[in-house]
């Protein structure tokens, strides 16, 4: 890849969109640069299952013609995106990272893909992922593991690991992932990018292969908060095809990006947010809170009485619902699943109905406690996960005291809370550890208040430069 | 007090039979230990949610009918 192309892949979505709108940059140039970058890095990081070389080039040429004719569709027009491979695209194989669905070709776009298409976005390819999104490592037995561009011996987290790695590696300008228990936020954190889990029901799940119906969401992933907000403008909205989709006005999510955070109240739950962390994560999030205080926000200690117990509730719901979806395949072709997903699906069949109902009642309790707390704070901030990227293939992690813990329950220590409560949450990169691995903080907001999350993240990125660093080429 | 749950291979085989889930040899042993942890934690949550102060809480999946 030549120097000019490397400059193009460094452009944010907002920057590229403006250059395209002013006809200074052609979508053809941008797509070629991203394709070259994707070809260069994919043998190492394995972020893409499939790259749409010919189609992306053809759509870029069409976009160029449209824009030159004055038919500009908006800031996403001509922008190359990665799409997680559980999001259906009309006429394209959608695998969900699996062998079971390996030859599924949807007859229509997922709703969110259709929205992005209508805004002129160009799909560069389908990103690799944890099989059926049921895991947090993106160590895929059928398509190979995704690797972290900051250190290819490390994992990219998951399940949207391919989207996270592709964005961090500059192989696409931005990407789309899905998040049930953390699958946008976790790879965003360990790849050093921004990722949003929206309010449950804010973005349509129609056409997306489900994991857990009562917690599934689709979210944007990009290098800056502004880019995420621009993507989200195109993704959000009611969909009559999705029974969980909610009728709620879609604001301009970029509207408050310059507003600053003076007077905003940041809630922290010290006995949960700052315990059981690797020291670099603890220090990074504490420092980030200091940054926000320097910008005029106020940190308020809050207690959420019943926050402990959320991991068990998360695992119960996130295991039983997929097990219901996979019942037929699990009986007809169990050997076609990877070992970890097969085990989890079998386990999900063996939890009791009363376990599931009690977990769903716990969700009501936890949400009520957070909604009560939102009377005195505007957002919560905590780590996104308690550790930085572990080595590819590891299923145990050491957080403190040298004790090994199960990866699945450890990884959702903080991401389970928004998943259970339906609240929106945004990962923003906030530091790097001693090995140069990214650390992310999670900003949790009120229902449908993604605007405030973006406002906070934008203020942080205006005051810091963590989001401007790039992995070594 | 947390009741320790230590499921046996026979327990897993019964659960699989209840679910009409064929499990080849080796699968019950693969599931036994992690499921024991999940069940133990789920039982503890169930005990908590059965307390009188939480009797009024309905599951989060109950319909909330919009105003027509």
């Amino acid at each position: 890849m030549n120097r000019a192309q490397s400059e193009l892949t460094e452009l944010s979505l907002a920057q590229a969109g403006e250059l395209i709108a002013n006809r200074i940059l052609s979508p053809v140039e941008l797509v070629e640069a991203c394709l070259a970058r994707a070809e260069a890095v994919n043998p190492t990081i394995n972020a893409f299952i499939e790259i749409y070389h010919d189609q992306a080039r053809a759509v870029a040429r069409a976009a160029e013609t449209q824009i030159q004719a004055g038919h500009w569709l908006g800031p996403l027009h001509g922008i190359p995106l990665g799409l997680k491979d559980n999001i259906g695209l009309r006429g394209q194989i959608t695998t969900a990272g699996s062998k079971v669905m390996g030859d599924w070709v949807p007859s229509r776009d997922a709703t969110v893909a259709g929205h992005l298409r209508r805004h002129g976005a160009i799909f560069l390819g389908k990103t690799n992922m944890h099989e059926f999104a049921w895991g947090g490592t993106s160590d895929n037995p059928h398509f190979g593991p995704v690797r972290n561009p900051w250190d290819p011996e490390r994992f990219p987290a998951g399940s949207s690991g391919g989207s996270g790695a592709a964005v961090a590696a500059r192989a696409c300008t931005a990407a789309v992932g899905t998040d049930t228990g953390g699958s946008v936020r976790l790879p965003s954190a360990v790849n050093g990018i921004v990722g949003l889990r929206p309010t449950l029901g804010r973005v349509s799940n129609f056409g997306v292969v489900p994991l857990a119906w009562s917690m599934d969401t689709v979210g944007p992933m990009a290098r800056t908060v502004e880019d995420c907000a621009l993507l989200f403008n195109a993704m959000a909205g009611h969909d009559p095809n999705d029974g969980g989709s909610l009728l709620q006005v879609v604001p301009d999510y970029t509207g408050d990006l310059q507003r600053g955070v003076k007077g905003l109240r940041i809630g922290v739950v010290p006995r949960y947010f700052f315990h059981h962390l690797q020291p670099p994560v603890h220090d990074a999030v504490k420092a980030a809170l200091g940054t926000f205080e320097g910008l005029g926000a106020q940190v308020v200690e809050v207690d959420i009485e019943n926050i402990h117990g959320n991991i068990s509730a998360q695992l119960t719901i996130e295991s039983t619902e997929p097990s219901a979806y996979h019942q037929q395949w699990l009986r007809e072709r169990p050997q076609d699943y990877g070992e970890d997903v097969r085990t989890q699906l079998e386990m999900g069949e063996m939890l009791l109905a009363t376990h599931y109902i009690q977990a769903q009642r716990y969700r009501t309790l936890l949400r009520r406690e957070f909604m009560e707390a939102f009377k005195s704070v505007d957002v919560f901030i905590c780590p996104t996960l308690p550790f930085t990227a572990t080595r590819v293939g590891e299923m145990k992690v050491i957080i403190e005291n040298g004790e090994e813990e199960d990866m699945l329950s450890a990884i959702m220590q903080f991401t389970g809370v928004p998943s259970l409560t339906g609240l929106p949450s945004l990962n923003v990169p906030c530091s790097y550890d001693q090995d140069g691995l990214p650390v992310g903080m999670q900003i949790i907001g009120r229902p449908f208040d993604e605007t405030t999350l973006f406002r906070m993240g934008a203020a942080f990125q205006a005051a810091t430069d963590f989001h401007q660093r790039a992995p070594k080429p | 007090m947390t009741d320790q749950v230590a499921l046996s291979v026979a327990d897993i085989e019964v659960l699989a039979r209840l679910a009409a889930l064929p499990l080849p040899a080796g699968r019950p042993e693969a599931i036994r230990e992690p499921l024991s942890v999940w069940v133990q934690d789920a039982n503890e949550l169930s005990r908590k949610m059965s307390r009188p102060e939480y009797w009024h809480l309905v599951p989060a999946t109950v319909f909330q009918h919009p105003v027509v």
Side-chain angles (χ1 to χ4, degrees):
Chain A
M1 189 167 72
N2 59 46
R3 183 167 171 249
Q5 285 187 324
S6 68
E7 289 169 355
L8 294 182
T9 57
E10 275 302 318
L11 292 170
S12 70
L13 187 157
Q15 291 168 334
E18 191 171 342
L19 292 172
I20 289 172
N22 292 317
R23 305 179 204 180
I24 298 168
L25 173 66
S26 162
V28 174
E29 294 175 274
L30 183 58
V31 163
E32 285 296 341
C34 286
L35 284 172
R37 180 70 182 159
E39 283 299 315
V41 301
N42 212 48
T44 301
I45 66 173
N46 200 27
F48 286 93
I49 288 177
E50 187 174 0
I51 300 174
Y52 300 146
H53 299 90
D54 294 341
Q55 188 185 77
R57 288 186 169 110
V59 176
R61 286 193 295 272
E64 181 185 67
T65 302
Q66 280 187 312
I67 293 164
Q68 285 177 346
H71 189 73
W72 180 69
L73 296 175
L76 299 188
H77 201 172
I79 299 294
L81 301 180
L83 201 66
K84 187 178 180 183
D85 203 20
N86 58 351
I87 301 172
L89 269 187
R90 183 183 66 242
Q92 301 286 351
I93 290 176
T94 296
T95 69
S98 75
K99 190 174 177 183
V100 169
M101 290 194 85
D103 54 0
W104 178 50
V105 179
S107 59
R108 56 187 294 182
D109 284 339
T111 297
V112 69
H115 286 331
L116 293 167
R117 228 194 259 277
R118 280 185 289 280
H119 281 79
I122 299 173
F123 298 121
L124 204 77
K126 288 300 205 67
T127 55
N128 200 353
M129 55 182 284
H130 206 102
E131 183 182 15
F132 280 116
W134 196 177
T137 66
S138 302
D139 192 350
N140 191 296
H142 313 293
F143 298 100
V146 183
R147 294 177 177 275
N148 193 313
W150 295 91
D151 177 353
E153 296 304 309
R154 306 273 180 165
F155 86 154
S159 60
S160 310
S163 287
V167 172
R170 277 74 172 147
C172 51
T173 305
V176 181
T178 65
D179 189 306
T180 300
S183 292
V184 162
R185 294 161 286 161
L186 296 167
S188 296
V190 305
N191 287 289
I193 66 169
V194 182
L196 174 75
R197 174 191 166 87
T199 307
L200 191 65
R202 174 78 285 186
V203 177
S204 172
N205 287 319
F206 183 78
V208 179
V209 178
L211 175 62
W213 292 284
S214 72
M215 295 196 295
D216 285 346
T217 64
V218 184
M221 301 169 75
R223 280 180 277 125
T224 72
V225 172
E226 181 183 21
D227 288 358
C228 267
L230 285 166
L231 255 182
F232 198 55
N233 274 347
M235 294 168 63
H238 174 63
D239 179 13
N241 289 311
D242 177 1
S245 174
L246 296 172
L247 271 168
Q248 190 80 12
V249 169
V250 179
D252 176 3
Y253 289 108
T254 65
D256 280 0
L257 292 179
Q258 311 298 327
R259 197 171 158 194
V261 298
K262 198 168 180 187
L264 285 179
R265 302 159 300 171
I266 301 169
V268 294
V269 184
R271 68 183 175 89
Y272 192 79
F273 288 2
F274 297 111
H275 283 265
H276 197 55
L277 304 174
Q278 287 180 345
V281 175
H282 176 279
D283 295 346
V285 179
K286 283 281 192 175
L289 289 171
T291 300
F292 279 119
E293 285 181 305
L295 295 171
Q298 183 189 359
V299 177
V300 179
E301 289 193 0
V302 173
D303 192 38
I304 303 290
E305 184 182 344
N306 289 289
I307 196 167
H308 284 99
N310 76 83
I311 296 173
S312 174
Q314 177 73 23
L315 281 172
T316 296
I317 296 167
E318 194 166 337
S319 61
T320 50
E321 291 187 8
S323 292
Y325 178 76
H326 287 270
Q327 273 195 317
Q328 185 170 344
W329 286 325
L330 191 62
R331 284 151 179 77
E332 291 177 356
R333 44 190 308 196
Q335 69 283 356
D336 287 340
Y337 289 93
E339 172 63 22
D340 63 329
V341 174
R342 178 179 177 175
T343 300
Q344 286 155 192
L345 291 174
E346 289 166 344
M347 288 163 62
E349 294 249 17
M350 298 179 187
L351 289 169
L352 303 177
T354 45
H355 289 146
Y356 176 80
I357 294 293
Q358 298 291 33
Q360 291 286 10
R361 293 179 67 235
Y362 172 80
R363 286 179 84 172
T364 301
L365 175 64
L366 189 64
R367 182 175 163 107
R368 284 193 184 185
E369 291 183 351
F370 268 89
M371 294 308 293
E372 183 64 27
F374 276 126
K375 292 177 183 175
S376 56
V377 301
D378 300 300
V379 297
F380 286 85
I381 289 182
C382 63
T384 301
L385 70 163
F387 51 91
T388 54
T390 61
R391 299 206 168 273
V392 172
E394 286 180 356
M395 295 305 293
K396 301 280 185 190
V397 60
I398 294 173
I399 297 173
E400 58 183 0
N401 303 321
E403 292 174 14
E404 279 193 333
E405 299 181 35
D406 173 67
M407 171 71 75
L408 187 60
S409 48
I411 209 167
M412 55 176 65
Q413 180 174 327
F414 300 107
T415 55
V417 166
S419 297
L420 288 166
T421 56
L423 300 172
S425 56
L426 182 74
N427 175 80
V428 178
C430 66
S431 190
Y432 295 82
D433 74 3
Q434 66 279 3
D435 296 322
L437 298 170
V439 179
M441 63 174 162
Q442 179 177 231
I443 309 174
I444 304 169
R446 296 184 179 97
F448 297 103
D449 196 14
E450 286 86 351
T451 300
T452 298
L453 303 186
F454 290 134
R455 175 182 168 190
M456 298 227 40
F460 187 80
Q461 292 195 327
T464 62
D465 68 352
F466 300 117
H467 60 292
Q468 292 172 352
R469 301 186 198 179
K472 293 194 183 97
Chain B
M1 185 187 73
T2 302
D3 292 336
Q4 299 289 324
V5 173
L7 296 170
S8 66
V9 166
D11 290 334
I12 303 298
E13 288 170 346
V14 167
L15 289 168
R17 218 162 28 243
L18 275 171
L21 175 65
L23 281 188
R27 294 309 303 164
E29 186 53 46
I31 296 164
R32 188 184 60 79
E33 206 172 294
L35 184 62
S36 296
V37 174
W38 282 15
V39 167
Q40 185 172 307
D41 291 342
N43 284 345
E44 187 176 338
L45 186 64
S46 293
R47 268 194 297 277
K48 176 196 179 81
M49 298 311 299
S50 300
R51 298 207 297 247
E53 62 262 41
Y54 302 134
W55 283 353
H56 62 291
L57 291 172
V58 300
T61 47
V62 170
F63 282 122
Q64 291 192 1
H65 300 280
V67 174
V68 177

